[in-house]
Amino acid sequence: MKQNNSMEQLLSLALQDAVERTQPALQNEVEWAAAGMESHTFATAFEKRMKHLCAQEKRRVWFERHQKGLRNAVAGMAVLLCVGGVTIASVDAIRTPLLQYFLKIGDSSSQYIPSSVINLPVSDQMAVYYPTYIPEGYVVVDVIERDTRYHVVYLNEEDQSFTLFFDCENSAISFNTENSVVEEIEIKGVPAVVSMQDNQTIVIWQGEGFSYTIAGNLGKEECIRILESTRVGD
Amino acid sequence: MIAYALIDDEQTRTLFEQLYYQYRQHMYWIAQQILCDEYLAEDITAEAFIRIAKKIDFIASLSEKQQRDYIVVVLRNLAIDAYRKKRKSPEVLTETPETSPIDDTLDEKIFGKIRYDNLVTAISKLQDPYLDVLKLRCLYQQSAEETANILGISVNSVNQRLFRAKAKLKQILKEEQYFDEAE
């Protein structure tokens, strides 16, 4: 077996030398032209096929050359995603708004209301707390309703908007009063707080078993009129 | 500017592209000589390039002369196979029947008695079908299946042809008196 192997090796070496010593069996373009041979014009289909093959080979070589870089890039992306995920999960300042954002998407999509009934934005259960007066030109663009509360977003053609919040339970409400004019008033004999800053108005009206907040590009009078049109406190 | 672009283009060419642009004319010519059919010759040249693309890593490991040689072996056998199919005569260019008993004992006794240069000379005197199978199996280290695929014959025929090629080589060595069997 060992002798056979050495014979094969010798034969391989002799074959190699035979190839190297003889004239090349294939001439390149320069040798071909130098020999005065006529160049053949290949058919378009052939050229197309070869172009495709060349492109395929180029892609393969490119991937082979950049394999390491691509692998590193993918690994880097994976690490970034992991670090990002951990950061989001551990930092409240990022996690909370993000969760709220996604929860809001869920709520919005589950409470989609067809345009024909958009003027009745809340359920029958909440309709009793809904104001009968809404300033002209405003349409409902978003509604969120939960067990004891709802909020409705209104928008008019001039891009002015306001949001009406309602809750059956009274709870503390924080709002920004910096550079604002704050005023205490009464609506239907129940105390309310009005905060005005530029063209932004916030009205908080809380009574026995109800809490209304209006915030947006509305005047104080309009806000009061909306709240007065509710059935609570009657 | 155009010349610079051309140089740059040539430098960025893959090995496959280099082989394609360098040898397509002569490859076509070889196929045309065997097939005498312009369209079929183009088809066979394209087929040869497809096979080259599949084996490009192996071809990259060969010297330039070996690359040319390997390409010719692949192309010639594809053309012969196509010619055989075209003529629908399996007898054409198939195994040559041996008229005398085959002696394939290309053993260490013989190799021990001949000069290496004479062996190289004897190899170059082998006919193409024998030389091709010897090159593919012994020089390019292709498996019997790969060789069968390139030559367009069965694995059994590959083994048979290899057996005969070695016998033929011994015959040449004897005829040219490169070694004395009596010694």
Side-chain angles (χ1 to χ4, degrees):
Chain A
M1 182 63 92
K2 203 174 175 184
Q3 279 166 343
N4 265 345
N5 274 346
S6 59
M7 274 192 325
E8 291 289 324
Q9 277 173 5
L10 186 66
L11 193 57
S12 164
L13 215 63
L15 281 161
Q16 195 178 325
D17 270 348
V19 170
E20 296 292 342
R21 284 180 198 180
T22 49
Q23 273 293 104
L26 197 60
Q27 290 179 347
N28 62 29
E29 294 284 281
V30 179
E31 291 160 350
W32 187 252
M37 300 298 283
E38 200 183 325
S39 286
H40 170 71
T41 310
F42 289 97
T44 320
F46 174 89
E47 295 277 14
K48 212 171 159 184
R49 205 170 163 191
M50 289 298 106
K51 214 169 241 178
H52 177 71
L53 207 59
C54 285
Q56 220 172 21
E57 189 53 26
K58 215 164 204 162
R59 268 201 302 275
R60 190 191 66 82
V61 170
W62 188 89
F63 273 110
E64 221 170 66
R65 272 190 201 152
H66 297 86
Q67 205 173 22
K68 205 178 164 189
L70 284 171
R71 213 180 291 147
N72 288 345
V74 170
M77 292 275 278
V79 169
L80 267 175
L81 277 173
C82 286
V83 171
V86 169
T87 310
I88 287 165
S90 58
V91 180
D92 278 352
I94 302 171
R95 186 183 56 204
T96 312
L98 213 66
L99 276 173
Q100 276 174 350
Y101 172 76
F102 286 112
L103 283 173
K104 194 179 165 194
I105 288 174
D107 286 345
S108 302
S109 57
S110 63
Q111 296 204 3
Y112 171 73
I113 297 163
S115 58
S116 58
V117 292
I118 200 81
N119 289 324
L120 291 171
V122 292
S123 68
D124 289 348
Q125 186 202 333
M126 284 291 163
V128 289
Y129 304 106
Y130 198 67
T132 51
Y133 168 76
I134 294 299
E136 212 178 304
Y138 281 90
V139 291
V140 176
V141 290
D142 190 20
V143 180
I144 292 176
E145 185 181 321
R146 296 228 175 104
D147 301 339
T148 61
R149 61 187 193 271
Y150 69 77
H151 89 239
V152 184
V153 181
Y154 297 87
L155 183 76
N156 70 6
E157 281 180 354
E158 282 138 31
D159 246 11
Q160 291 174 316
S161 69
F162 71 93
T163 309
L164 174 72
F165 299 90
F166 169 78
D167 199 338
C168 288
E169 292 162 4
N170 293 352
S171 54
I173 297 168
S174 306
F175 60 100
N176 185 12
T177 53
E178 198 178 349
N179 301 324
S180 303
V181 178
V182 181
E183 192 185 340
E184 286 185 14
I185 56 163
E186 275 191 6
I187 300 169
K188 294 188 187 179
V190 179
V193 177
V194 181
S195 166
M196 284 174 291
Q197 182 195 17
D198 301 328
N199 58 347
Q200 289 284 317
T201 307
I202 300 171
V203 180
I204 299 164
W205 185 42
Q206 288 190 334
E208 195 64 43
F210 68 90
S211 168
Y212 280 99
T213 305
I214 297 177
N217 312 118
L218 269 185
K220 177 183 150 190
E221 269 63 42
E222 289 282 42
C223 292
I224 292 169
R225 222 178 136 185
I226 292 168
L227 295 172
E228 279 175 342
S229 74
T230 60
R231 276 179 268 176
V232 295
D234 285 344
Chain B
M1 190 69 173
I2 293 167
Y4 180 77
L6 281 173
I7 292 164
D8 189 48
D9 189 41
E10 275 176 23
Q11 279 173 350
T12 55
R13 274 181 187 171
T14 60
L15 173 65
F16 178 81
E17 284 173 301
Q18 285 171 25
L19 296 176
Y20 171 64
Y21 289 110
Q22 291 269 334
Y23 303 128
R24 60 182 175 166
Q25 288 295 342
H26 196 180
M27 282 172 72
Y28 167 79
W29 188 85
I30 292 170
Q32 165 70 2
Q33 290 299 303
I34 295 168
L35 294 161
C36 301
D37 181 328
E38 193 180 323
Y39 299 109
L40 197 55
E42 278 194 3
D43 273 355
I44 292 305
T45 309
E47 182 60 35
F49 276 115
I50 290 168
R51 292 200 179 196
I52 288 165
K54 282 181 187 164
K55 284 273 182 186
I56 199 72
D57 288 335
F58 162 71
I59 293 171
S61 69
L62 302 176
S63 71
E64 197 202 324
K65 272 197 172 176
Q66 285 178 351
Q67 283 177 354
R68 294 188 194 203
D69 184 67
Y70 181 82
I71 291 169
V72 169
V73 170
V74 170
L75 175 78
R76 192 176 47 224
N77 284 285
L78 270 173
I80 289 169
D81 198 34
Y83 179 80
R84 203 185 290 157
K85 282 173 187 163
K86 188 182 161 193
R87 291 282 300 268
K88 290 186 179 168
S89 56
E91 294 82 21
V92 179
L93 293 165
T94 52
E95 301 303 313
T96 341
E98 288 297 324
T99 46
S100 53
I102 297 166
D103 178 8
D104 78 316
T105 52
L106 196 64
D107 52 26
E108 76 281 3
K109 269 201 298 187
I110 295 169
F111 278 112
K113 289 171 190 170
I114 54 166
R115 284 181 58 211
Y116 175 75
D117 276 356
N118 292 337
L119 178 62
V120 175
T121 313
I123 283 170
S124 57
K125 286 180 180 171
L126 276 174
Q127 288 173 304
D128 283 339
Y130 296 130
L131 196 53
D132 286 352
V133 77
L134 265 183
K135 279 177 187 171
L136 289 169
R137 295 287 284 126
C138 304
L139 173 60
Y140 301 125
Q141 305 291 320
Q142 302 288 287
S143 68
E145 287 79 14
E146 284 168 326
T147 307
N149 192 26
I150 292 169
L151 299 180
I153 54 176
S154 67
V155 174
N156 279 341
S157 300
V158 167
N159 293 331
Q160 199 182 9
R161 203 181 278 186
L162 184 66
F163 179 82
R164 284 179 180 165
K166 285 179 180 175
K168 199 82 187 164
L169 188 60
K170 186 185 173 187
Q171 195 186 324
I172 294 168
L173 289 167
K174 265 189 201 172
E175 281 170 8
E176 300 290 329
Q177 297 181 325
Y178 288 145
F179 73 96
D180 183 5
E181 218 171 7
E183 270 180 35

